[in-house]
Structures are given as structure tokens and as C-alpha cells.
Amino acid sequence: MRIASWNILSGQSHDGSPAAALDLQVGKLDVDVLALQEVDYLMRRSGGVDQVSTAAQGLGAVDWRFAPSFAGDEGDPQIPTPGLLLGPERSLPGPHYGVALLSRIPVRRWSRLDLGASPVGLPLLYARDGQRRLKYIADEPHVAIAAELANDWTVIATHLSFVPPLNMLQLRRIRRWAQQFGRRVIIAGDLNLTYRFLPLGPLWRTAARTRTYPAWKPAVQFDHILIRRGLKARKLRRPSLAISDHLPVLAEIRG
């Protein structure tokens, strides 16, 4: 099974150039399952587009879910949306923002885990509209989605807090949650943790080691695909993409 994780920066380019078509960029990945982070739904900054449906069309997904972290447009109050999962058969009233999981493989069951937010933020390098500067960023609610696939694998997609040690605690919580899905389970997402600080424990390992951030001069790996020890994996070559300040991570998993 081929899998990828990509923080798409709401479909924007990091250098201020015109944003490329999201469906075409996603289609270049050519994977069976794709975890996406920083996904907009009807937000002004991304032209009021439903980016989840657009990305699903580009991938050729047969099923997908969007887990909004909050409702509200950029600059508006953020309203948490615990427990909410949007699929192809539903729509949401107004702008939302969150993570998505798209699959070319039929999905038997979907689940959502809410992970909370840090009460404080941090100054971060902020790359948007061609500007790169330090800016104080407040944390947002975080969430994980699990897809139990028809091929007996389970994929969990997430975007963890950038505030330590909360991100480590969130990953440990996801690992505990993953136990119910058996051995053939994968965790994919922007974990906001470098390899050195990943709390993998004795049962988990990374499927692909590669630098993913920042896209214009990759120095660290924040984006990971984690699998159980004993499963086989190989890193896949990533295509040239025209959006985001993150590069995707791709792997082929066997077990």
C-alpha cells in the first residue's frame, strides 16, 4: 500500500506566487491513502473552495473524511468542532479548517479522536503570501482521524500541536488509541516533532526518513509515517510540487 502525508498550507505557495491547482498537485502523489493537514473548507484565503472534495477528486479517492479543528474564517473567532466528521454525503455551513484523510481503498469504518489545544502559542517562522517572518501563533484544537480499510489496514491521520511537550503527549495518546486497531496500523501526519524527539516506544518506527521543512531548503523532518516494528516499508520518491511550505513524505508499506 502506498501512503503519503502532506501539510498543504491551505493550498498556497510559500513564496507568494500564484497557487497551483490543488487537484493536480495531489494527483502527482499517486498513492492509495493520503493524509492532509492545514486544509481549508470555504475559507476566504483559499477562494471559498472545498479543498477536501477538490483533493479527493485529484487523488481519485473512493472515500474520504474531513475532521475540522474549528469553524470560522481567518480573523474570526475559532469555534471548536469536537466529534465532527464530514464525508462526501455531507456539507458544512460556512468556513472550517482541519485535517483530511483520502483513500482509493474502500473504508469500513471511520473514527475521530479529539486531542485538545495548548493554552499558549509560540513565535514561529510564518511563510505565507511571500512573507517569511517570526509571528506569534496561537495553538488550535487538534484531532486524529482513523480509517479502517477494506484491506485490513488502519490509517490514522493527524496534525499535532507545535507546542512541546503537548505534541509528545498527543502522539502517545494516539499510540494508545491505535492499539484497538491491531498490528497493521499506520500513523501519518505533521507531528511537529523531529525524529530525535519522537516518542516511538518499543513498538513503533518511522517508515521514511527525509527532510520535509521548510520546502525551499529542507532542514528537518516534521512530517512522518509511523508503522509497527516488524512491518516492511520503503521510502518513495516524491514528485515536484508547487504549493506549501512543507514537502510530503511518501512510503510503500508491506506486512
Side-chain angles (χ1 to χ4, degrees):
M1 182 170 62
R2 296 161 62 94
I3 184 168
S5 178
W6 190 20
N7 181 326
I8 63 171
L9 190 69
S10 303
Q12 300 185 49
S13 61
H14 65 79
D15 58 3
S17 60
L22 179 60
D23 55 345
L24 298 179
Q25 299 303 301
V26 166
K28 292 180 180 180
L29 296 173
D30 191 25
V31 293
D32 301 303
V33 182
L34 174 60
L36 296 177
Q37 305 86 44
E38 295 197 18
V39 182
D40 283 359
Y41 179 89
L42 309 185
M43 300 277 276
R44 284 191 299 267
R45 67 186 172 200
S46 50
V49 172
D50 173 359
Q51 291 191 332
V52 195
S53 295
T54 300
Q57 183 177 3
L59 186 69
V62 300
D63 202 358
W64 55 264
R65 288 296 184 274
F66 173 56
S69 301
F70 60 83
D73 216 325
E74 191 173 32
D76 296 338
Q78 296 180 0
I79 303 171
T81 54
L84 183 59
L85 277 177
L86 170 70
E89 72 287 350
R90 294 186 59 189
S91 60
L92 296 174
H96 289 71
Y97 168 91
V99 301
L101 186 55
L102 322 175
S103 178
R104 290 175 173 174
I105 302 167
V107 179
R108 292 174 178 164
R109 187 173 68 166
W110 294 92
S111 308
R112 168 174 170 150
L113 176 67
D114 289 292
L115 299 167
S118 170
V120 297
L122 288 173
L124 298 177
L125 179 63
Y126 188 75
R128 202 180 291 272
D129 298 327
Q131 301 296 317
R132 300 174 192 168
R133 61 186 181 278
L134 280 176
K135 179 180 178 181
Y136 177 84
I137 306 293
D139 200 18
E140 63 202 30
H142 295 271
V143 62
I145 314 172
E148 296 174 61
L149 305 177
N151 63 359
D152 295 325
W153 285 87
T154 297
V155 179
I156 298 173
T158 193
H159 185 188
L160 302 185
S161 174
F162 53 81
V163 180
L166 178 60
N167 43 19
M168 299 181 187
L169 297 174
Q170 288 173 334
L171 183 54
R172 290 191 177 103
R173 188 176 172 192
I174 292 174
R175 282 171 38 204
R176 291 195 298 270
W177 188 51
Q179 291 176 4
Q180 66 184 293
F181 303 118
R183 179 172 173 269
R184 301 179 79 194
V185 60
I186 300 165
I187 300 171
D190 178 356
L191 305 185
N192 274 309
L193 290 163
T194 62
Y195 178 79
R196 178 182 177 186
F197 293 102
L198 278 175
L200 294 174
L203 299 179
W204 293 87
R205 72 178 184 92
T206 58
R209 292 285 301 274
T210 184
R211 296 174 182 179
T212 61
Y213 184 86
W216 56 89
K217 191 177 181 181
V220 296
Q221 181 174 4
F222 288 143
D223 308 87
H224 300 273
I225 297 172
L226 308 182
I227 60 174
R228 296 278 192 169
R229 293 190 184 275
L231 297 175
K232 297 178 181 179
R234 69 181 180 95
K235 182 175 68 174
L236 297 176
R237 185 175 181 179
R238 58 191 170 210
S240 176
L241 300 167
I243 61 174
S244 186
D245 56 347
H246 284 245
L247 298 173
V249 56
L250 299 89
E252 183 178 84
I253 314 296
R254 299 179 183 273

